[in-house]
């Protein structure tokens, strides 16, 4: 686990510096344009999940900074997962909870927040008047459309930095090692301990 303390990385798994491959700005280090590729030593196993999570976190943080600048300052990562769980046809709180891997009550709290922020609305289910469906509002659809465009731009930035072929290869490699049933699961927020 890595924490950021006063701009420093504090590794709680092992002491820092061991197994870290390359230093940005140093010839031969990853990310230095035109530098010859230095052979990378094998890294300790704990670095792979941390680097993958760091890449995920970087993309999500940059996306949310962009969303804030484009009129969605209250959007949080959990909201995006919940809006995906609501889907284009709408869903009940129970269905949202199942899709997110959280209780109906936890899903209800997230839905209440989306309602308060104007991203979702509740309506009677036309097929069953006893059920209430949660639907995305035009503001919710706008946030998702801006998110999709933002992710496309962030991917393009990675392609510019790493090369399109390397990004495509990385995506293909991840598809090969990530089981298909977990590749696009929405329950990441419950797995990480919050919703």
């Amino acid at each position: 686990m890595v924490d950021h303390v006063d701009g420093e990385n504090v590794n709680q798994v092992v002491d820092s510096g061991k197994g870290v491959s390359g230093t940005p700005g140093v010839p031969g280090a990853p990310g230095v344009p035109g530098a010859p590729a230095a052979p990378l030593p094998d890294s300790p196993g704990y670095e792979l999940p941390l680097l993958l999570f760091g890449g995920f976190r970087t993309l999500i943080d940059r996306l949310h900074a962009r969303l804030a600048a484009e009129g969605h300052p209250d959007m949080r990562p959990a909201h995006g997962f919940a809006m995906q769980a609501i889907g284009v046809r709408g869903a009940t709180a129970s269905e949202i909870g199942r899709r997110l891997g959280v209780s109906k009550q936890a899903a209800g709290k997230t839905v209440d927040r989306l309602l308060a922020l104007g991203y979702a609305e509740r309506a009677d289910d036309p097929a069953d008047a006893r059920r209430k469906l949660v639907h995305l509002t035009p503001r919710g659809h706008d946030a998702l459309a801006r998110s999709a465009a933002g992710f496309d731009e962030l991917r393009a930035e990675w392609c510019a930095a790493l090369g399109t072929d390397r990004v495509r290869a990385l995506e293909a490699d991840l598809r090969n090692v990530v089981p298909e049933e977990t590749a696009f699961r929405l329950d990441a927020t419950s797995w990480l301990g919050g919703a």
Side-chain angles (χ1 to χ4, degrees):
M1 170 179 271
V2 175
D3 289 325
H4 294 281
V5 179
D6 296 328
E8 264 183 73
N9 285 340
V10 181
N11 190 321
Q12 297 174 357
V13 178
V14 295
D15 208 8
S16 64
K18 297 181 182 169
V20 176
S21 56
T23 304
V26 175
V32 178
L40 298 175
D42 279 344
S43 297
Y46 70 85
E47 282 191 5
L48 178 61
L50 292 175
L51 289 168
L52 288 169
F53 182 71
F56 171 79
R57 177 73 191 259
T58 298
L59 291 169
I60 297 299
D61 288 349
R62 293 203 46 221
L63 176 75
H64 281 271
R66 174 191 164 124
L67 287 172
E70 293 180 357
H72 297 282
D74 297 318
M75 274 286 292
R76 299 294 174 261
H79 299 155
F81 285 106
M83 291 193 309
Q84 292 292 333
I86 292 167
V88 294
R89 295 186 188 135
T92 66
S94 294
E95 291 167 336
I96 295 166
R98 267 194 310 279
R99 292 172 187 169
L100 294 175
V102 299
S103 69
K104 177 182 175 181
Q105 292 77 13
K109 286 182 183 180
T110 302
V111 167
D112 288 344
R113 186 68 183 139
L114 292 175
L115 294 170
L117 293 171
Y119 291 115
E121 60 190 2
R122 280 195 181 102
D124 290 332
D125 182 345
D128 184 348
R130 296 169 297 174
R131 292 176 12 130
K132 293 283 188 191
L133 288 179
V134 179
H135 291 277
L136 296 178
T137 63
R139 181 168 169 75
H141 286 289
D142 180 67
L144 287 181
R146 289 176 185 274
S147 294
F151 279 129
D152 286 345
E153 286 186 18
L154 290 166
R155 184 184 183 279
E157 288 178 16
W158 279 40
C159 288
L162 302 173
T164 301
D165 290 342
R166 286 185 69 190
V167 171
R168 287 180 182 154
L170 173 63
E171 291 166 338
D173 289 343
L174 288 171
R175 284 186 194 99
N176 284 331
V177 296
V178 175
E180 188 176 331
E181 66 274 8
T182 62
F184 297 102
R185 286 175 57 177
L186 297 175
D187 64 351
T189 53
S190 68
W191 183 78
L192 291 170

